[in-house]
Amino acid sequence: DGGITQSPKYLFRKEGQNVTLSCEQNLNHDAMYWYRQDPGQGLRLIYYSQIVNDFQKGDIAEGYSVSREKKESFPLTVTSAQKNPTAFYLCASSIGLAGNPADTQYFGPGTRLTVL
Amino acid sequence: AQKVTQAQTEISVVEKEDVTLDCVYETRDTTYYLFWYKQPPSGELVFLIRRNSFDEQNEISGRYSWNFQKSTSSFNFTITASQVVDSAVYFCALRGLYNFNKFYFGSGTKLNVKP
C-alpha cells in the first residue's frame, strides 16, 4: 500500500531533550512537508523539502531541524530550543516540481508530542 | 496577501440535516487552487477535493458538493443528509501558482453530527 507513515504515534519528552519524529513515504513524491497543529488551530508550516538534500524554512522553523538524505524520508528534530513543543505534528508529501501546478498534499497520521 | 478564512469555528447538526461549511479566500494570483481536507478524530488529514481557479463548475460527489464562486471568493462545502461519521474538523486551503510549495490553511470548522 502506498502512503505516508509517521512514528511514533505518541511521544513524550522531558524538558531539555531533543526528539526526532519520523516520516516515511513510498509514493515516490519529491516534496515533503512538516506542519504543526495546536489544539483548535489550523496548520502551520515548519519546514519543507522540494528535493533530496534540499530543504527550506517555513513559517515557524525556530527550534526545529530537518534532514533530507533520502527521497523517502524527512525526519524532524524538535530541539530543546523550541520553547513550547507540545503539539500535533503532521507530515505531508506531494509530487513536487515535476508535477502539475495543481499538486495536492497528502498527509500522514501524525505524531502527538507532549513535553513533561 | 494569501489568506483563507473559515468563520465558523464549530457547527452542530442532527443526523440527516444538510450543512454548509463556509470558506472565503484572498489571493493576488490569477491562477490558484483550492482544497478541502477532512480531519477525523484520529488526526490524519484526508484530501477531499481540489478546484482550479479557472474552473467554476460546481462539483458533486455523493452527499458532498462544493460551490466555487470567484465573484465572492468563496469555496463552500455542503454535506447533504449528514451522518455521524461526518463528524470531523474540515479545513479549506489555498495554493498559488508561483509559490506552489506553500499551502494556506484556514483555521478549520469542527462539525458535530448528533444521532
Side-chain angles (χ1 to χ4, degrees), chain A residues 28-93:
Chain A
N28 200 31
H29 284 171
D30 283 316
M32 297 186 74
Y33 312 81
W34 274 105
Y35 290 91
R36 170 181 171 142
Q37 186 180 25
D38 292 285
Q41 304 293 317
L43 279 68
R44 291 185 290 169
L45 183 65
I46 304 173
Y47 267 98
Y48 65 94
S49 169
Q50 296 184 25
I51 201 165
V52 174
N53 293 322
D54 179 71
F55 48 83
Q56 307 294 329
K57 291 182 179 180
D59 299 319
I60 56 164
E62 186 174 350
Y64 300 97
S65 66
V66 293
S67 62
R68 187 84 188 277
E69 297 176 2
K70 296 188 300 182
K71 187 175 185 177
E72 304 80 20
S73 178
F74 191 40
L76 173 73
T77 297
V78 184
T79 74
S80 56
Q82 170 50 236
K83 298 304 178 191
N84 186 21
T86 295
F88 187 54
Y89 291 86
L90 285 157
C91 178
S93 72

Side-chain angles (χ1 to χ4, degrees), chain B residues 7-100:
Chain B
Q8 303 153 306
T9 305
E10 188 165 352
I11 301 175
S12 292
V13 299
V14 177
E15 208 170 18
K16 296 184 184 178
E17 284 185 16
D18 298 348
V19 58
T20 296
L21 309 182
D22 297 333
C23 173
V24 174
Y25 62 91
E26 296 175 31
T27 180
R28 286 178 296 191
D29 292 348
T30 54
T31 300
Y32 50 90
Y33 306 88
L34 296 163
F35 304 79
W36 275 96
Y37 288 86
K38 174 182 179 179
Q39 186 177 40
S42 60
E44 180 174 350
L45 262 74
V46 178
F47 166 69
L48 295 178
I49 190 171
R50 177 188 64 228
R51 171 60 75 212
N52 306 330
S53 57
F54 44 86
D55 180 4
E56 289 193 67
Q57 196 169 10
N58 291 327
E59 183 155 342
I60 298 174
S61 175
R63 296 184 296 107
Y64 295 172
S65 62
W66 290 268
N67 182 4
F68 176 36
Q69 293 202 343
K70 254 177 145 172
S71 59
T72 56
S73 297
S74 65
F75 185 42
N76 296 337
F77 173 28
T78 297
I79 301 175
T80 303
S82 60
Q83 299 176 1
V84 173
V85 293
D86 295 327
S87 296
V89 179
Y90 291 87
F91 289 96
C92 181
L94 164 72
R95 178 187 159 205
L97 176 62
Y98 299 106
N99 188 10
F100 51 80

